[in-house]
Amino acid sequence: MIQTLATTPFEGQRPGTSGLRKKVKVFQQPRYLENFVQSIFDCLEGAHGQTLVVGGDGRFFNREAIQIVVKIALANGFGRILIGRGGILSTPAASNLIRKYGAFGGVILSASHNPGGPDGDFGIKYNASNGGPAPEKLTEAVFARTKAIKEYRILDAPDIDLDRLGALGLGPGLIEVIDPVDDYALLMQSLFDFDKIRGLLQSGFRLRFDAMSAVTGPYAKRIFVDLLGASADSVLNGTPLPDFGGHHPDPNLVNAKHLLDLAMSKDGPDLCAASDGDGDRNLIIGAGRYVTPSDSLAILAGNAHLAPGYARGVAGVARSMPTSAAADKVAERLGVNLYETPTGWKFFGNLLDAGLATICGEESAGTGSDHVREKDGLWAILLWLNILAVRGQSVAAIVADHWAEYGRNYYCRRDYEEVEAEGANALVQALRDALPELPGKSFGGLKIAKADDFAYHDPVDGSDTTQQGIRLLFSEGGRIVYRLSGTGTSGATLRVYIERYEPDPAKQNLDTETALADLIALSQEIAGIAHYTGRLAPSVVT
Ligand code: G1P
Ligand code: ZN
């Protein structure tokens, strides 16, 4: 029976670049999730009788949320709901299912790389029929709807058994609980040379993949161990847990320091890798060599043709603005366009849909291609393995070759987390106000050649997006970028991205802090970071 229940609108629940993310406690408030889900469905046209994909990263509240989403979806006319068994679907796997089964869209329950558990974060996002994040127009409409909603519709039915595979009629529709890994594993097999990778793994090459007790465990076990023959101990923390086992499932050098230590140790594994809470990010560390996500994007783009799925070459390369310019050099050499987009995966969607770009990535450890419309952690690791298998070189040797050929982009990101929003906003505003006077000014011997606030004109839909980050370009070739995070759940996070290009192989082996020392100091001085945030140092450097 479909019930129509009264609710009260809520204010200010604006979904960010990656959907709505809040503390679990916020989502547990009565009718909070119901309001948001009904608001999404109120803004869709033509969903009647259609298929919806539903799954999440297994974090605390995942199962409860799925029951609510499914019952509201059926009450709103969806005809068929595909659910990953146990409520599990990685973000890229959900994107694949939407595309493969011609679904109208998908609801993904995840707060990505944010911590989980009862005191952690929860999140929900809607993906459209191309498998990618909802376009801005839709998220804005949903936001407006959350402020006006008066009632929601929900099926009055017993809970679905999420652990039993199979189809079941429920109310007016059909529920199908499917294996979360099958279709994704098939997709990976269609892109990569599994025989070659199996050969590599059997030749003594050692892989360590840390699923961080999040969603990728079942995917990694099936693909690396069952299909590619890696040893069972290649997959660490391979069971999804509601609190991620207390880990912070953000595979950066702080949270995955154990992998860095392992890779740097004598006789360490040949490749250490990790993914985040919902499986869309990746961390790549070869024996003795960490690969920055920006370098990884460039190397993957330059070598993608070595994998069967990309043998025809790439149509174009896309990167977010704060990502280093390493990929630009590769695109130039390949003779294809390089697209520089605002931060957030959704901007890549149009380029991928239009066939303008094949490979894209962000400095925040997201890399992907036109195989889905999300970034994809395991995909990136498999592409690396495919390249390593074909080239027969170590990760470190491939990186060294890359720098020798294209030059090295020294790069770091410095995050000032959970600072007061007021100070952070004032800092950005002050920089914005100063933009006209900055060009020509010198700081500590470095001269600003150009200063702007990044704006993007979408070549596909013609839309314009402004105020995407303050860029300072120095005459000597360095760059500093300032922007505020759009995904944090408490206070504000100021991100400062610093980069310098070094073409001379003799000067490519400095450590990053040394190579960027003057720009790092300047980044604090020019923006008055201590003054506006009270912070003398960043909380995370990646
Ligand atoms: C962060 C990353 C960005 C990524 C997003 C979603 O956003 O910086 O590259 O697309 O998470 O994973 P931010 O917090 O910087 O807005
Ligand atoms: Zn993620």
Side-chain angles (χ1 to χ4, degrees):
M1 194 184 66
I2 294 170
Q3 295 179 311
T4 300
L5 302 176
T7 187
T8 40
F10 49 29
E11 290 290 334
Q13 309 303 325
R14 182 192 287 273
T17 46
S18 315
L20 183 69
R21 263 184 220 174
K22 299 280 168 191
K23 293 278 169 215
V24 165
K25 298 249 165 6
V26 174
F27 270 101
Q28 284 173 324
Q29 296 172 87
R31 296 183 302 282
Y32 184 90
L33 180 64
E34 287 86 341
N35 268 357
F36 191 71
V37 174
Q38 182 66 53
S39 298
I40 296 174
F41 295 155
D42 280 348
C43 296
L44 303 178
E45 265 170 50
H48 196 88
Q50 300 273 357
T51 300
L52 183 75
V53 171
V54 181
D57 62 12
R59 67 179 60 225
F60 190 84
F61 198 54
N62 189 49
R63 285 172 175 264
E64 294 86 332
I66 286 179
Q67 300 289 349
I68 293 172
V69 171
V70 169
K71 289 175 193 173
I72 296 184
L74 288 171
N76 279 274
F78 275 98
R80 175 179 174 231
I81 319 277
L82 296 179
I83 314 172
R85 182 179 47 208
I88 291 291
L89 281 181
S90 78
T91 291
S95 180
N96 177 46
L97 289 174
I98 295 170
R99 298 167 64 76
K100 183 167 177 177
Y101 294 107
F104 191 82
V107 173
I108 302 175
L109 291 317
S110 169
S112 188
H113 50 287
N114 294 14
D119 299 317
D121 291 342
F122 194 76
I124 174 169
K125 74 171 180 168
Y126 180 77
N127 279 27
S129 59
N130 72 342
E136 195 116 339
K137 225 174 80 196
L138 178 57
T139 50
E140 282 304 312
V142 172
F143 174 51
R145 184 68 195 152
T146 61
K147 295 193 282 187
I149 185 169
K150 297 221 167 48
E151 55 188 34
Y152 66 99
R153 286 183 292 289
I154 189 161
L155 196 69
D156 184 18
D159 277 358
I160 302 138
D161 182 352
L162 295 177
D163 298 304
R164 185 181 312 166
L165 290 177
L168 170 85
L170 189 64
L174 185 74
I175 306 276
E176 279 178 59
V177 177
I178 59 172
D179 183 282
V181 181
D182 284 352
D183 294 283
Y184 182 80
L186 282 174
L187 176 64
M188 293 301 114
Q189 288 173 85
S190 75
L191 297 173
F192 302 116
D193 190 335
F194 270 47
D195 289 337
K196 266 239 150 61
I197 301 175
R198 199 178 298 113
L200 176 75
L201 292 170
Q202 279 165 5
S203 71
F205 183 98
R206 281 173 307 144
L207 167 73
R208 281 292 173 281
F209 171 77
D210 193 339
M212 303 187 106
S213 306
V215 80
T216 47
Y219 296 86
K221 284 184 190 162
R222 174 87 63 86
I223 293 172
F224 294 140
V225 180
D226 300 348
L227 295 173
L228 290 170
S231 60
D233 63 358
S234 302
V235 177
L236 311 171
N237 299 308
T239 304
L241 299 173
D243 65 348
F244 302 132
H247 299 124
H248 184 170
D250 184 355
N252 62 30
L253 293 181
V254 177
N255 298 311
K257 179 156 189 308
H258 57 287
L259 283 185
L260 182 68
D261 294 344
L262 192 63
M264 296 301 154
S265 66
K266 199 168 165 288
D267 297 326
D270 298 286
L271 178 64
C272 289
S275 192
D276 70 330
D278 63 331
D280 57 0
R281 295 187 175 200
N282 71 89
L283 172 73
I284 302 285
I285 317 177
R289 170 60 66 201
Y290 163 63
V291 188
T292 68
S294 295
D295 276 348
S296 182
L297 170 66
I299 292 168
L300 293 181
N303 291 276
H305 63 279
L306 300 177
Y310 306 93
R312 278 173 303 145
V314 300
V317 183
R319 66 164 171 85
S320 66
M321 178 275 284
T323 303
S324 97
D328 303 26
K329 294 263 182 311
V330 173
E332 199 185 323
R333 184 77 50 91
L334 293 174
V336 299
N337 281 340
L338 183 286
Y339 298 90
E340 188 177 28
T341 64
T343 295
W345 203 260
K346 66 181 171 196
F347 294 96
F348 295 139
N350 279 351
L351 300 170
L352 297 171
D353 283 347
L356 294 176
T358 306
I359 304 273
C360 37
E362 296 190 281
E363 51 65 43
S364 53
T367 333
S369 86
D370 57 0
H371 69 292
V372 289
R373 292 296 179 272
E374 291 278 2
K375 52 194 177 240
D376 189 344
L378 288 171
W379 169 90
I381 297 160
L382 285 165
L383 181 50
W384 261 101
L385 285 170
N386 198 138
I387 292 166
L388 290 163
V390 174
R391 288 185 52 165
Q393 290 172 288
S394 67
V395 171
I398 289 176
V399 171
D401 280 3
H402 186 89
W403 291 343
E405 193 175 347
Y406 297 97
R408 175 174 183 181
N409 291 71
Y410 283 107
Y411 187 86
C412 73
R413 185 178 96 185
R414 299 162 61 81
D415 294 333
Y416 298 78
E417 296 175 316
E418 296 190 24
V419 299
E420 276 181 33
E422 208 178 311
N425 289 329
L427 179 150
V428 171
Q429 192 53 50
L431 279 172
R432 208 167 265 150
D433 294 343
L435 283 176
E437 297 120 51
L438 285 174
K441 272 202 178 159
S442 285
F443 294 87
L446 296 176
K447 189 161 129 203
I448 296 181
K450 202 175 152 215
D452 68 3
D453 193 350
F454 180 61
Y456 178 65
H457 178 74
D458 190 306
V460 181
D461 66 18
S463 63
D464 288 291
T465 310
T466 57
Q467 302 201 327
Q468 293 299 306
I470 308 285
R471 300 193 287 190
L472 308 181
L473 298 177
F474 292 86
S475 305
E476 297 75 15
R479 181 179 83 152
I480 303 177
V481 173
Y482 301 90
R483 64 176 281 280
L484 297 183
S485 156
T487 60
T489 52
S490 35
T493 292
L494 170 68
R495 302 201 197 283
V496 185
Y497 311 80
I498 299 173
E499 170 180 4
R500 166 180 281 145
Y501 179 61
E502 179 52 72
D504 182 356
K507 296 182 190 155
Q508 287 172 352
N509 281 309
L510 298 176
D511 68 87
T512 304
E513 290 269 319
T514 311
L516 298 176
D518 49 355
L519 286 168
I520 290 173
L522 274 191
S523 73
Q524 289 161 311
E525 180 193 327
I526 297 177
I529 294 178
H531 169 75
Y532 284 106
T533 69
R535 298 285 174 85
L536 294 176
S539 35
V540 179
V541 178
T542 49

